[in-house]
Amino acid sequence: MKLTRKLVLAKAKASDLDSVRKLNCWGCSLSDISIFSQIPNIDVLTLSVNSISSLSPLAGCHSLCELYLRRNSIQSLSELCHLRSLSRLRVLWLAENPCCGPEASKYRLTVLRCLPRLQKLDNQVVTEEEVSLALAHGEDITTPPTTVQDQLSTNGMADVDTENDPLNYNMEETNKIREQLGMKLLARDKFESLSSPVTKEAKLPFKKTHTLEAVLLLMKDLDEEELQIVHTVALNRLQMYTVGTETLKDTMKTEKTTDMQH
């Protein structure tokens, strides 16, 4: 399962991804967490009991202090290389992953050699002696084949495309207007039945096209009196454009006449 923007905002009770500081996705059957390439300000993240195999999307989460990854599908400790640049990371719970192996002491020393700033690993306090021992005898690990750039160029782009999906954009714009007016929000299934897809031939700019569709959808719930108000406002706006156009034409005509006289 892919962690989506909608699920993140719902769980974090946030209005946008930049404002997400804490997130708990324990036991959500997640395997794709590429969305974290768009959540740079996360502080505390719980992803335990899922099916995550790659940590590359977390490489840009430089504010991360606590990370819980117990019981996932991380096969190799080399995935920890993606966490090396996270200078604030102090708590990591990685136990019960395939990468931990049968030798607990060897596993712990290897993790601490890669991440010597940790203060707690798998719910056990890290001592200075452990860190010194890890730096001397821990196994050195290298970056896995899948890089952060690869993750961003594939999964990350897919997330961006989803964010710009016309239906999602229209729905957000329409419901934002409805909420401001105290009207009931539209459900997605109802929105799909009302909205028409934006074709490649559409000549209006992207944002203007979707604003128009949002306004048209909003008008379906207006009564006769409210529609009359909209009609009056629209006429006034059109008159402004008409006056502006006529003025421009008169100016051009005057300039042309002057040029001919000279």
Side-chain angles (χ1 to χ4, degrees):
M1 178 179 171
K2 183 175 183 176
L3 182 60
T4 63
R5 176 180 180 275
K6 182 178 180 181
L7 183 58
V8 169
L9 296 181
K11 284 186 169 293
K13 296 180 180 179
S15 58
D16 57 80
L17 295 180
D18 285 339
S19 64
V20 176
R21 297 293 187 273
K22 296 182 180 181
L23 184 65
N24 187 343
C25 291
W26 190 97
C28 293
S29 302
L30 300 176
S31 57
D32 186 338
I33 57 170
S34 55
I35 186 68
F36 285 107
S37 63
Q38 303 173 48
I39 313 178
N41 300 319
I42 187 95
D43 295 323
V44 180
L45 178 57
T46 300
L47 294 171
S48 296
V49 193
N50 283 290
S51 301
I52 298 164
S53 59
S54 175
L55 302 181
S56 60
L58 301 178
C61 300
H62 297 293
S63 297
L64 198 59
C65 299
E66 299 180 24
L67 177 59
Y68 301 91
L69 293 164
R70 186 175 63 89
R71 287 181 60 185
N72 271 280
S73 302
I74 302 170
Q75 300 293 324
S76 172
L77 286 176
S78 61
E79 288 294 327
L80 295 179
C81 290
H82 296 302
L83 307 181
R84 273 179 171 158
S85 63
L86 308 186
S87 59
R88 297 184 181 181
L89 186 62
R90 295 293 181 267
V91 177
L92 176 65
W93 198 328
L94 191 63
E96 299 179 70
N97 274 275
C99 64
C100 297
E103 300 181 44
S105 60
K106 181 180 178 181
Y107 147 75
R108 192 172 175 87
L109 290 178
T110 301
V111 174
L112 292 179
R113 174 165 180 170
C114 182
L115 305 171
R117 298 187 186 92
L118 289 180
Q119 296 176 352
K120 186 179 286 188
L121 174 60
D122 297 338
N123 207 32
Q124 293 183 22
V125 175
V126 175
T127 64
E128 292 183 6
E129 291 76 12
E130 271 190 304
V131 175
S132 298
L133 191 61
L135 294 175
H137 302 288
E139 187 176 322
D140 191 20
I141 56 178
T142 57
T143 307
T146 303
T147 63
V148 179
Q149 287 75 19
D150 292 334
Q151 193 76 25
L152 291 176
S153 64
T154 54
N155 295 330
M157 284 304 297
D159 287 328
V160 174
D161 290 342
T162 300
E163 297 301 317
N164 290 333
D165 176 68
L167 181 57
N168 289 337
Y169 188 93
N170 287 349
M171 188 172 175
E172 287 183 10
E173 289 295 303
T174 302
N175 281 337
K176 187 182 296 184
I177 297 172
R178 296 172 71 91
E179 185 177 13
Q180 292 174 350
L181 296 176
M183 300 173 67
K184 185 178 179 181
L185 303 185
L186 282 176
R188 186 180 180 85
D189 54 351
K190 182 178 180 180
F191 194 93
E192 287 176 329
S193 66
L194 294 174
S195 180
S196 57
V198 179
T199 63
K200 293 182 179 179
E201 291 75 24
K203 296 183 179 180
L204 285 173
F206 183 82
K207 185 175 180 64
K208 286 189 176 182
T209 301
H210 290 83
T211 301
L212 174 60
E213 292 186 0
V215 171
L216 293 177
L217 284 169
L218 183 65
M219 290 176 63
K220 293 180 181 293
D221 288 329
L222 300 181
D223 57 25
E224 183 178 355
E225 183 179 353
E226 292 168 333
L227 285 172
Q228 186 61 46
I229 295 173
V230 173
H231 177 68
T232 302
V233 173
L235 284 178
N236 290 337
R237 292 277 291 174
L238 284 172
Q239 287 176 0
M240 290 174 60
Y241 283 113
T242 302
V243 171
T245 302
E246 293 298 326
T247 302
L248 178 61
K249 286 181 179 179
D250 291 341
T251 301
M252 293 176 65
K253 185 177 180 180
T254 301
E255 291 179 350
K256 185 177 181 180
T257 303
T258 303
D259 291 340
M260 290 177 66
Q261 290 175 348
H262 287 79

